[in-house]
Amino acid sequence: MRVNKWGVGVILAAAVLLTGCSAGGSDKPAESKPSSGASQEAEAQAADCPELKDGATVDGTALSTCISDAMSDTAGYAAKTDVMGIESTAKFNPSEKALESTSPAGSLIAIGDDVWVKSATSEWQPADPKSSDPVIAALSAAASDISSLDPTTAAEAMTGEFTVTGTGERLGEEVYLVSGTIEQQGTAVDVVFEVTADYVNLAMTSTASVEGQSVEISMEITEWDVKQDIVAPL
């Protein structure tokens, strides 16, 4: 999500949008096996999902559907995101449509249709894209479309061909490195997803050129399928 030429807004909201596909699981909290809860639903759709194996070429649209389906029932998750060396943290409870993002530049909390923001020097306040404070305005504008911050919604942007370029490990699970290019807000974004065998995405790296500047964002889930403590600040 482009806000003020990828200024404050990208640190918070765009990181969530560009990293995508980061929700889902079972109702039982997982410790080191984050994708076990999603396996039943994913297995039921296995016939329609692309096989993940090293060197395979997979259809992005089919893969995004499988990721969204496998990850739609999580109790919640926590993640950390790095945007050009600036680290932020995020919490997400999909059943409540609740999101909290915190970085050195500012913070954002969205619960349903209600959104609050604060800069590093201000108190919490309702989002106001027309605020005279440029930081508050940027944060508010970045949060103006909460549905776009839903990582499951972001997964729908995966189209075209993707390639499995290797394997790795996240939170005790083997993951397949799935590489390709997606388009977000008119910008081509090179992405690498780290997807488990049952289509849970545990990490992602995305790189884009914006206004002539290379922007790299990395995301990794740090806590999976655990309801997060997200409360209204006002």
Side-chain angles (χ1 to χ4, degrees):
M1 182 177 296
R2 191 178 304 178
V3 178
N4 287 358
K5 296 186 177 180
W6 291 71
V8 174
V10 74
I11 297 171
L12 300 174
V16 181
L17 176 61
L18 291 184
T19 50
C21 322
S22 317
S26 72
D27 291 332
K28 183 177 72 174
E31 297 178 357
S32 62
K33 298 292 184 178
S35 62
S36 59
S39 60
Q40 291 183 351
E41 185 173 356
E43 288 170 3
Q45 302 194 20
D48 299 322
C49 291
E51 181 181 5
L52 298 179
K53 62 180 180 180
D54 197 7
T57 298
V58 298
D59 178 71
T61 301
L63 181 59
S64 71
T65 299
C66 296
I67 289 175
S68 295
D69 288 343
M71 303 176 70
S72 59
D73 297 321
T74 186
Y77 79 91
K80 65 179 181 179
T81 301
D82 185 283
V83 182
M84 301 175 66
I86 300 176
E87 187 171 292
S88 64
T89 59
K91 300 177 182 179
F92 184 59
N93 289 328
S95 65
E96 301 170 348
K97 296 183 179 180
L99 169 75
E100 179 177 345
S101 182
T102 304
S103 87
S107 302
L108 177 156
I109 291 178
I111 302 176
D113 294 329
D114 297 318
V115 182
W116 301 268
V117 297
K118 70 182 296 292
S119 70
T121 59
S122 73
E123 300 297 325
W124 284 105
Q125 57 191 280
D128 179 11
K130 297 182 180 180
S131 172
S132 59
D133 184 328
V135 176
I136 295 299
L139 292 169
S140 301
S144 61
D145 183 3
I146 297 303
S147 66
S148 71
L149 302 180
D150 182 343
T152 302
T153 301
E156 297 174 1
M158 297 175 64
T159 58
E161 289 190 346
F162 283 73
T163 303
V164 181
T165 55
T167 59
E169 183 175 306
R170 290 282 181 184
L171 295 179
E173 288 283 300
E174 181 181 35
V175 293
Y176 294 89
L177 308 182
V178 183
S179 305
T181 301
I182 63 177
E183 184 174 302
Q184 296 284 50
Q185 304 295 318
T187 299
V189 184
D190 295 325
V191 295
V192 180
F193 297 92
E194 300 187 21
V195 185
T196 67
D198 49 6
Y199 306 102
V200 174
N201 184 61
L202 294 180
M204 178 179 170
T205 300
S206 61
T207 305
S209 179
V210 181
E211 304 292 343
Q213 181 178 15
S214 178
V215 177
E216 181 171 314
I217 299 172
S218 63
M219 180 280 297
E220 64 177 282
I221 290 178
T222 56
E223 187 174 33
W224 178 252
D225 204 17
V226 177
K227 184 177 175 62
Q228 301 299 307
D229 182 21
I230 302 175
V231 297
L234 297 176

